[in-house]
Amino acid sequence: MMQITSKLRNDNFSFLIKAEDYSSTPLLRTSELRLHKIFVLNESLIEGGISNLTEIFMKQIVSRLIPFLQ
């Protein structure tokens, strides 16, 4: 999992999620994905989803995340 927040920081660790990055209904507020806020969550604790991101956006995230993990 990775943190998504509506508190926009516009730094090297944040990645803005635009309306076209959603494959379903967008979040109500403009939000950013926090690349350095990664955590593990047991699947049994996930009750449902609010929205989905496009495959293209997810690939962009992975390409930006790799340098942080190296």
Side-chain angles (χ1 to χ4, degrees):
M1 305 292 287
M2 195 175 291
Q3 182 187 44
I4 294 176
T5 180
S6 60
K7 184 174 181 179
L8 304 180
R9 291 176 175 84
N10 194 25
D11 60 18
N12 290 333
F13 301 109
S14 303
F15 199 81
L16 184 65
I17 307 171
K18 298 182 238 78
E20 60 267 17
D21 297 325
Y22 293 95
S23 60
S24 60
T25 306
L27 296 177
L28 297 177
R29 297 177 129 186
T30 301
S31 300
E32 287 182 336
L33 196 70
R34 302 287 287 157
L35 294 175
H36 70 299
K37 299 287 185 170
I38 301 170
F39 58 95
V40 176
L41 182 65
N42 190 298
E43 189 175 353
S44 66
L45 297 174
I46 301 172
E47 295 182 7
I50 297 173
S51 186
N52 293 308
L53 298 168
T54 65
E55 189 175 329
I56 292 169
F57 181 78
M58 295 302 292
K59 287 180 180 180
Q60 291 173 349
I61 294 302
V62 169
S63 69
R64 289 207 45 194
L65 182 61
I66 289 172
F68 287 109
L69 301 175
Q70 293 179 335

